[in-house]
Amino acid sequence: MYERGLDRDGTIAREGALERVPAPFTPVVDAARAHVAATFDSARLHSAYVYGSIPRGTATPGVSDLDLQLVLHNEPTVGDRSDARAIEDELDQAFPQIDGAGILLTSAKHLLSDAERHDGGFFIACLCTPLLGPDLAAQLPRYRPTTLLARETNGDLAHVLPRWRAKAAAATTDADRRILSRSVGRRTVRTGFTLIMPSWGGWTSDLDQSAELFGGYYPERAEQMRVAAAAGRAPSPDPAVLRMLIADLGPWLAAEYAAVHGVKTLHA
């Protein structure tokens, strides 16, 4: 990997690797692989991946969560989702070094479609580390930090904001607000980073680095983005944090994103 997360040819390098998994998380990843293989046979499962701070080598015991992506041959069913939740629960209960486990389920056809080529396809090819099965990245292009990639990965924030508002209104406990602030914080920072990604000319998934890079281009919003990064790492139950992210920074970011990169085409 060369400077700014790029390969020698200027394309975005895959950011994780199993050899980068910190020692405390090696048994978690091994157990995840075993649980997935035992639950999803080859007739259902195309491939499985781990993503996030664990394969990047930056995970913190007791703070970081385990993120898995399962690619299925067919569209996920109710039964598939139930099996995935059971794996999440088993891993979360068995390993105190993770603060929860999350499994995404997607079909190979969906990820390889034209509509997902610069969103879900990019996610698999650059942000996911193979765990089981054939690597779907072999069927995807190499990606560059372009405005097309920015628009297709995060150009739908205006569409997401109403859902966040509804969830914030329904959040009645500190636990509810922590769960929401983690997801809102992470998505906000990633959107802020991809807003400036083509100008910066590289890729990072590190929340703190993303927030600082964003702040260099938008200093008047820098402190708010630092708060978003903090919420993404250590979620806050403070309603004021959610209000700032959803009612102030979020709408401004959605409008600025649309002006700079355009709006993502939403497919049925």
Side-chain angles (χ1 to χ4, degrees):
M1 186 183 295
Y2 283 69
E3 188 179 3
R4 302 196 179 196
L6 303 178
D7 279 331
R8 187 190 297 271
D9 63 357
T11 58
I12 297 172
R14 188 172 238 164
E15 63 180 13
L18 292 180
E19 55 266 28
R20 296 181 197 157
V21 173
F25 295 95
T26 298
V28 184
V29 173
D30 290 343
R33 183 191 294 108
H35 279 300
V36 170
T39 304
F40 291 86
D41 60 26
S42 59
R44 282 203 288 173
L45 183 72
H46 173 279
S47 48
Y49 307 79
V50 58
Y51 67 95
S53 61
I54 290 179
R56 292 200 306 269
T58 60
T60 302
V63 174
S64 299
D65 52 352
L66 173 69
D67 298 306
L68 300 173
Q69 165 77 67
L70 305 190
V71 179
L72 306 182
H73 291 293
N74 300 304
E75 293 303 318
T77 65
V78 172
D80 293 330
R81 298 189 189 284
S82 176
D83 287 342
R85 284 194 297 273
I87 295 173
E88 291 172 345
D89 291 342
E90 287 189 38
L91 293 171
D92 189 26
Q93 293 171 17
F95 296 101
Q97 55 267 58
I98 59 171
D99 182 21
I103 298 177
L104 300 177
L105 296 173
T106 320
S107 72
K109 180 180 179 181
H110 180 74
L111 291 169
L112 294 173
S113 67
D114 289 343
E116 287 297 316
R117 185 168 296 272
H118 286 84
D119 191 2
F122 165 73
F123 175 67
I124 288 289
C126 295
L127 309 187
C128 288
T129 297
L131 196 60
L132 282 168
D135 186 3
L136 200 66
Q139 301 180 57
L140 291 161
R142 300 301 303 273
Y143 296 89
R144 296 178 184 274
T146 62
T147 196
L148 170 63
L149 185 63
R151 184 177 68 246
E152 293 304 302
T153 52
N154 288 299
D156 59 345
L157 184 61
H159 184 73
V160 175
L161 284 169
R163 295 204 300 268
W164 285 352
R165 293 188 192 104
K167 288 183 178 180
T172 58
T173 67
D174 283 354
D176 292 338
R177 286 185 283 271
R178 284 193 181 96
I179 291 170
L180 183 58
S181 70
R182 169 178 270 178
S183 62
V184 170
R186 289 180 178 184
R187 176 64 186 272
T188 300
V189 174
R190 287 166 184 156
T191 302
F193 168 71
T194 51
L195 172 62
I196 61 92
M197 171 189 67
S199 297
W200 184 63
W203 179 268
T204 180
S205 286
D206 182 270
L207 292 177
D208 290 331
Q209 184 184 19
S210 295
E212 290 308 310
L213 289 169
F214 168 87
Y217 291 81
Y218 294 95
E220 71 281 7
R221 294 280 178 170
E223 183 55 35
Q224 288 183 321
M225 196 60 76
R226 291 188 191 101
V227 172
R233 284 184 288 98
S236 169
D238 186 353
V241 171
L242 278 173
R243 280 196 301 272
M244 182 276 288
L245 295 175
I246 297 172
D248 185 2
L249 181 57
W252 171 85
L253 186 56
E256 182 69 8
Y257 212 97
V260 174
H261 297 302
V263 177
K264 177 179 180 176
T265 303
L266 299 177
H267 300 267

